[in-house]
Amino acid sequence: MDPARGLVKLPSDTRELVQRRAQGACEYCHLPQDASILPHQVDHIIGRQHRGSDDVDNLRLCCIRCNLKKGPNIASIDPESKLVVQLYHPRRHAWREHFVTESTGVINGLTAEGRATVQLLDMNDEDRARLRAFLLRRGRHP
Ligand SMILES: [Zn+2]
């Protein structure tokens, strides 16, 4: 752990690989790094407390807000079916099969995993959706 940031210490080449693979955008909400005041974080998809490894296939780039909301969670409740479902997994799932972004900046979950992830990570917080809409209008949001 890096006590200054509360994050897991990873080799710099591993961090660079994860950042490059994500093309500098949060792998959950797609916020570009250059549109965020705080640096995006390289962290585990399946946390170490769940026996997740430090392998690059278990690492993702994440904005601070998604990372804080996700925490160690690997599952949540689908707001539609009320069933416990796994969260969206950036390595195993295709983003566009689970989410769609409206021109208003709101991200809708298309699947149980997508809906649970949108809700848990609070992706449609008013400020976040407003920033996303602004970036979309300028062609700066994927
Ligand atoms: Zn995010």
Side-chain angles (χ1 to χ4, degrees):
M1 293 279 282
D2 177 352
R5 299 180 63 205
L7 298 175
V8 175
K9 196 86 174 155
L10 295 166
S12 61
D13 59 338
T14 300
R15 290 184 175 280
E16 287 167 19
L17 189 157
V18 173
Q19 289 168 338
R20 206 171 40 248
R21 181 178 62 192
Q23 299 178 314
C26 173
E27 295 192 61
Y28 294 100
C29 74
H30 281 176
L31 178 69
Q33 172 60 78
D34 64 3
S36 176
I37 295 167
L38 297 169
H40 285 11
Q41 302 176 332
V42 174
D43 211 339
H44 297 88
I45 298 167
I46 308 293
R48 281 181 169 159
Q49 64 267 57
H50 299 295
R51 305 285 182 233
S53 76
D54 290 348
D55 188 273
V56 291
D57 286 341
N58 190 41
L59 299 172
R60 51 35 177 184
L61 187 65
C62 196
C63 74
I64 186 85
R65 295 183 78 171
C66 283
N67 204 23
L68 288 172
K69 294 286 184 177
K70 182 185 175 294
N73 294 297
I74 55 176
S76 190
I77 297 172
D78 169 21
E80 208 169 286
S81 68
K82 311 295 184 204
L83 296 173
V84 174
V85 296
Q86 67 177 328
L87 295 176
Y88 166 76
H89 190 297
R91 298 282 79 72
R92 297 179 189 151
H93 299 138
W95 198 92
R96 293 187 191 288
E97 290 177 13
H98 292 271
F99 307 100
V100 63
T101 308
E102 296 179 3
S103 60
T104 59
V106 167
I107 294 177
N108 286 318
L110 299 173
T111 61
E113 293 87 355
R115 290 187 296 270
T117 303
V118 165
Q119 181 172 269
L120 181 73
L121 275 53
D122 199 15
M123 287 181 176
N124 293 323
D125 168 89
E126 198 178 320
D127 291 342
R128 300 178 77 183
R130 190 179 310 122
L131 173 60
R132 204 173 293 128
F134 174 84
L135 293 170
L136 277 167
R137 285 194 301 273
R138 279 151 187 78
R140 294 191 52 223
H141 199 277

